[in-house]
Amino acid sequence: MKKLLLLNMLLLTALLTGCGPRPYENRIWEGSLYRTADNEKLSDVSLALSSDTLRVYSNAIFGAGNETLVRQQGRNDAYTFANSRGEEFTMKFEYTKSGSDRETLRIYGPDYTIDLLPAAGSDFTDEMLAFYRKREVPADAALYFSGPWTGEIRRIRDMQKLSKACAVFNGDSLRIYSNAIFSKQNSALVYDGYRNGAFYYIGKELGFILRPQRSNGQLTLTCAGFELILAPCDSLGTEELSFYKGYDVSPHADDYIFGTYEGSSIGRIKNAGMLFAMFGMAPDAMDVRIRMTLTFLEGNRVQMTNESSMVNRDMQMLTMLSGTTGEKETSILKYRVEGNQITIGKGDRLLIRPDGNLYYVGADEKGLTLDPFILNRTE
């Protein structure tokens, strides 16, 4: 019975490990991991395979949580490993020896290869693992990015384009050039790992959780309320970045308004009616009709145009005789959105109506009272 049990154990060992340990087992190997599709290096690697585990240190594909993988099965140098969550990693080991001492090990994964040489020591040392950052990373080789990209930012709820965008991936940093969402304070982001299917980036003021999807060469990074849609490019020059203004902008997709709105109201000099009556003038003698046009631009900016003309016919004639029919003033101001309220510059306030038009709540400044009115969208 004991002999039969021993035989069964030997057979099981043979099934798992072949005809004994491979020449690459129980040794430390060092090298680099490459993406198969374009042969781009993704990380340095140190690893060791034993009869029951694969210890692997890499800043791509594996990372924290996958440093020790349990060997499930192996036959003819093909292996399946699993992490503590039951996620599997399949690999093909290819060992070669040239001459008396030239040994190499190449490992083939589904979308990556690892080229390795024997390490000088027999233990993992701090110096050997100095490159390792010990953080979670994507197991999909397509989700590693580098270099310049161009595209745009769109709001998800209505697919409104918020701004053109350019991005540069450089190791652990991501620089985004955009006139929406990523203000100049949060344009330089630092990579903080990959968790639950999303990249975590930290800016100077805010953090961003970006969920990636890559298809047909295009990269989509989805965050709360917006999508950053990018395609790789050769370089970012003056032409590609000419749109970028470096504004301080809102990080919230709903804080951007687009289109042109027009409306008009009457401006009055406060407490002037009694004074006009004393001089026999009409109560509306100095009333002014103000026509306001708001054109919302990128970067939380709005072009405000105010055209004014006299309401009273006699005053209209008088201004015509003086060679003028009215005044026109245009300025570009910053705006901010808080709930359904828009504040332009330092004082003008508007409410966003349920129908999408804007309600100007009126103004009282420098002795002039401007009645509330509605601005309707024209385009």
Side-chain angles (χ1 to χ4, degrees):
M1 181 63 72
K2 290 182 179 179
K3 291 182 179 180
L4 181 60
L5 179 59
L6 179 60
L7 178 61
N8 287 335
M9 291 177 65
L10 291 173
L11 288 173
L12 179 60
T13 302
L15 287 173
L16 290 174
T17 63
C19 299
R22 298 290 194 265
Y24 49 78
E25 290 187 22
N26 303 313
R27 303 168 65 185
I28 296 179
W29 297 80
E30 294 180 292
S32 301
L33 185 151
Y34 300 89
R35 180 165 49 213
T36 305
D38 55 7
N39 204 37
E40 180 174 352
K41 179 181 175 180
L42 303 183
S43 177
D44 292 330
V45 179
S46 291
L47 61 78
L49 175 67
S50 68
S51 61
D52 56 1
T53 59
L54 174 66
R55 294 181 63 189
V56 54
Y57 300 94
S58 170
N59 294 321
I61 306 299
F62 304 100
N66 296 317
E67 296 165 0
T68 301
L69 301 175
V70 178
R71 185 166 162 177
Q72 303 295 297
Q73 58 182 349
R75 182 183 292 241
N76 298 326
D77 300 307
Y79 299 89
T80 299
F81 305 94
N83 62 18
S84 60
R85 299 182 297 275
E87 298 166 340
E88 294 188 343
F89 295 79
T90 58
M91 305 176 207
K92 173 74 173 179
F93 284 57
E94 182 180 274
Y95 170 82
T96 59
K97 184 174 182 180
S98 303
S100 60
D101 57 2
R102 173 65 177 176
E103 295 180 286
T104 61
L105 178 62
R106 171 168 284 190
I107 299 176
Y108 297 90
D111 51 8
Y112 61 88
T113 58
I114 308 175
D115 289 337
L116 301 157
L117 296 173
S122 58
D123 295 309
F124 291 106
T125 64
D126 292 341
E127 182 180 0
M128 182 186 299
L129 301 181
F131 73 92
Y132 182 56
R133 297 182 180 87
K134 196 177 179 65
R135 64 189 177 198
E136 294 185 61
V137 296
D140 184 350
L143 297 182
Y144 294 84
F145 314 108
S146 62
W149 299 64
T150 61
E152 62 189 26
I153 294 180
R154 289 189 175 273
R155 182 163 52 205
I156 293 175
R157 65 174 173 83
D158 57 2
M159 295 309 295
Q160 168 69 52
K161 177 183 173 182
L162 302 183
S163 173
K164 291 182 179 180
C166 293
V168 180
F169 294 89
N170 185 16
D172 286 343
S173 69
L174 170 60
R175 179 67 183 263
I176 298 178
Y177 301 89
S178 170
N179 295 327
I181 305 297
F182 300 94
S183 69
K184 64 182 181 181
Q185 298 296 323
N186 290 301
S187 60
L189 306 176
V190 177
Y191 182 49
D192 191 42
Y194 181 86
R195 299 183 288 277
N196 301 317
F199 293 108
Y200 285 68
Y201 282 94
I202 299 174
K204 186 175 181 180
E205 296 178 341
L206 297 171
F208 294 90
I209 302 174
L210 304 174
R211 192 170 300 276
Q213 181 178 357
R214 193 168 186 176
S215 176
N216 299 322
Q218 180 176 280
L219 169 63
T220 300
L221 297 172
T222 303
C223 194
F226 71 87
E227 291 181 338
L228 182 59
I229 304 168
L230 300 167
C233 64
D234 294 331
S235 63
L236 294 180
T238 303
E239 182 178 352
E240 289 81 6
L241 295 174
S242 61
F243 75 95
Y244 179 64
K245 305 301 180 184
Y247 297 128
D248 281 321
V249 293
S250 171
H252 306 296
D254 285 334
D255 287 355
Y256 296 87
I257 301 174
F258 293 88
T260 298
Y261 297 76
E262 293 182 350
S264 63
S265 183
I266 303 297
R268 299 180 175 87
I269 298 176
K270 290 191 295 184
N271 304 318
M274 185 176 296
L275 180 62
F276 292 163
M278 290 175 59
F279 289 94
M281 300 172 63
D284 65 349
M286 297 301 293
D287 287 2
V288 178
R289 179 173 297 280
I290 297 178
R291 182 174 185 83
M292 181 183 292
T293 302
L294 300 178
T295 300
F296 290 89
L297 310 172
E298 281 191 2
N300 286 136
R301 298 173 306 138
V302 60
Q303 177 178 289
M304 175 184 283
T305 301
N306 289 320
E307 300 176 76
S308 61
S309 59
M310 304 304 296
V311 172
N312 183 276
R313 291 190 176 186
D314 293 335
M315 296 303 294
Q316 290 177 7
M317 183 64 67
L318 183 62
T319 56
M320 289 178 63
L321 292 174
S322 66
T324 61
T325 57
E327 295 183 0
K328 184 176 181 178
E329 180 181 304
T330 298
S331 57
I332 295 179
L333 303 168
K334 293 279 293 180
Y335 74 87
R336 68 179 185 275
V337 177
E338 298 171 304
N340 70 333
Q341 179 174 296
I342 305 170
T343 302
I344 297 176
K346 296 182 179 180
D348 291 289
R349 292 185 300 116
L350 303 98
L351 299 179
I352 304 173
R353 289 161 46 102
D355 60 7
N357 294 319
L358 306 179
Y359 178 75
Y360 188 85
V361 298
D364 190 349
E365 185 178 0
K366 296 181 181 178
L368 179 68
T369 299
L370 184 62
D371 294 340
F373 62 101
I374 294 175
L375 292 96
N376 296 295
R377 182 164 182 168
T378 63
E379 60 178 50

